[in-house]
Amino acid sequence: MLLAGTFMRGWIVTLFLCVIAAAQAGPSPTIAPPPPAGDDSDPTRPVAWSLREEYYNLPGQAWTNAFLFRVDRAFLKGRPQPLWKRGLLTRVDIPFVIAHRADGTSAGLGDIYAQALLLPYSKGKFVLAAGSGISLPTATNHRQGTGKLTIAPAAAPVWFIPKRGFVLVKVQDFFSVAGAGGRPGLHYMTVTPLLVWRLKGKPYWVQLDAETQTNWNADAHTGYKTGFQVGRMTKKRGIWIKVEVGMGPYRVQSVAIKTSMFKVR
């Protein structure tokens, strides 16, 4: 029973970190393919590696296919304290992107994304996460990236549901601070409510989420999307698949299909 309880707690922490870190995704796919959503580990077992494939069907007959290699590291203070008591979670995404636009199709390195996430406050079943990401203009072609150095601070209050999952609401602001003079500046905000629910007695979880994206450089036009994810996790490996659907005249994508496999330490 003790082993089962320990595994269940690790399961929930895995899903929590999976989504919290994913809560700090990179720029919108209409601007550049993002480092997108979801997979991490028990805080004492950070992700050894994660491989992701994401296809975006964009407005105007454009599309993007991104392959990402992700590495996370957890730096803990006072182990075995859980990560939300004290510690730092870092992430790096390295994307290889194939992009089709009206002016042609190209493939190459995308914008590399890095982030640092602190969990400075917790009380009972509540946790506050805060940190920032940075997107570097490393793309080899204008179709693969934004051409801008972008900062992306974020905050996410999280409420745990014992033994089953959690709910969070993530708010993140993206703004460019430097980069190619011929490329448009970026400033937009995303708000993402999200529910992760573990299926009782089974190594599966489901995730329901929605997102608004408000473009401050375009009269605060707001696009919407909603997503559904299903995943399976064993002791050290996991896999998931997700479908997202964009809505409204200012949506940044029509349909996206994402999948990932990962291994924890």
Side-chain angles (χ1 to χ4, degrees), residues 78-111:
R79 292 179 71 165
Q81 289 274 8
L83 184 61
W84 54 82
K85 293 291 187 182
R86 51 182 66 184
L88 175 69
L89 180 67
T90 62
R91 157 164 297 174
V92 175
D93 283 338
I94 303 174
F96 178 83
V97 180
I98 304 171
H100 174 76
R101 302 293 185 265
D103 61 350
T105 303
S106 60
L109 180 66
D111 288 345

Side-chain angles (χ1 to χ4, degrees), residues 1-231:
M1 291 296 293
L2 179 60
L3 180 60
T6 300
F7 177 71
M8 183 173 292
R9 288 191 296 270
W11 225 99
I12 297 300
V13 173
T14 295
L15 297 182
F16 165 63
L17 288 178
C18 134
V19 180
I20 267 291
Q24 292 177 287
S28 156
T30 59
I31 303 166
D39 45 86
D40 286 303
S41 68
D42 181 313
T44 62
R45 301 183 308 164
V47 168
W49 52 260
S50 170
L51 298 175
R52 305 167 64 94
E53 196 275 337
E54 302 180 348
Y55 173 79
Y56 296 87
N57 188 345
L58 307 175
Q61 298 184 337
W63 54 264
T64 293
N65 204 21
F67 303 88
L68 295 102
F69 175 71
R70 170 173 292 176
V71 177
D72 291 350
R73 289 290 184 271
F75 299 92
L76 300 181
K77 186 177 180 180
R79 292 179 71 165
Q81 289 274 8
L83 184 61
W84 54 82
K85 293 291 187 182
R86 51 182 66 184
L88 175 69
L89 180 67
T90 62
R91 157 164 297 174
V92 175
D93 283 338
I94 303 174
F96 178 83
V97 180
I98 304 171
H100 174 76
R101 302 293 185 265
D103 61 350
T105 303
S106 60
L109 180 66
D111 288 345
I112 293 175
Y113 179 79
Q115 72 178 24
L117 180 68
L118 287 168
L119 293 95
Y121 177 80
S122 67
K123 184 176 182 181
K125 299 177 180 64
F126 174 78
V127 177
L128 176 65
S132 184
I134 181 171
S135 181
L136 306 175
T138 55
T140 55
N141 187 284
H142 70 280
R143 301 184 190 95
Q144 271 83 259
T146 65
K148 294 293 184 178
L149 177 66
T150 302
I151 306 300
V158 186
W159 294 267
F160 282 90
I161 305 168
K163 301 182 180 180
R164 300 308 295 269
F166 54 89
V167 176
L168 67 81
V169 180
K170 179 265 297 184
V171 180
Q172 186 165 21
D173 195 51
F174 298 79
F175 55 92
S176 56
V177 294
R183 305 293 296 276
L186 308 176
H187 189 192
Y188 62 93
M189 182 179 71
T190 60
V191 179
T192 310
L194 181 149
L195 167 68
V196 167
W197 191 258
R198 178 182 181 270
L199 302 185
K200 187 175 182 179
K202 299 182 182 296
Y204 296 93
W205 78 86
V206 296
Q207 175 182 310
L208 301 174
D209 58 69
E211 184 173 281
T212 66
Q213 179 170 308
T214 301
N215 189 340
W216 302 116
N217 290 345
D219 298 324
H221 289 164
T222 301
Y224 305 88
K225 69 178 180 180
T226 185
F228 174 77
Q229 181 189 102
V230 60

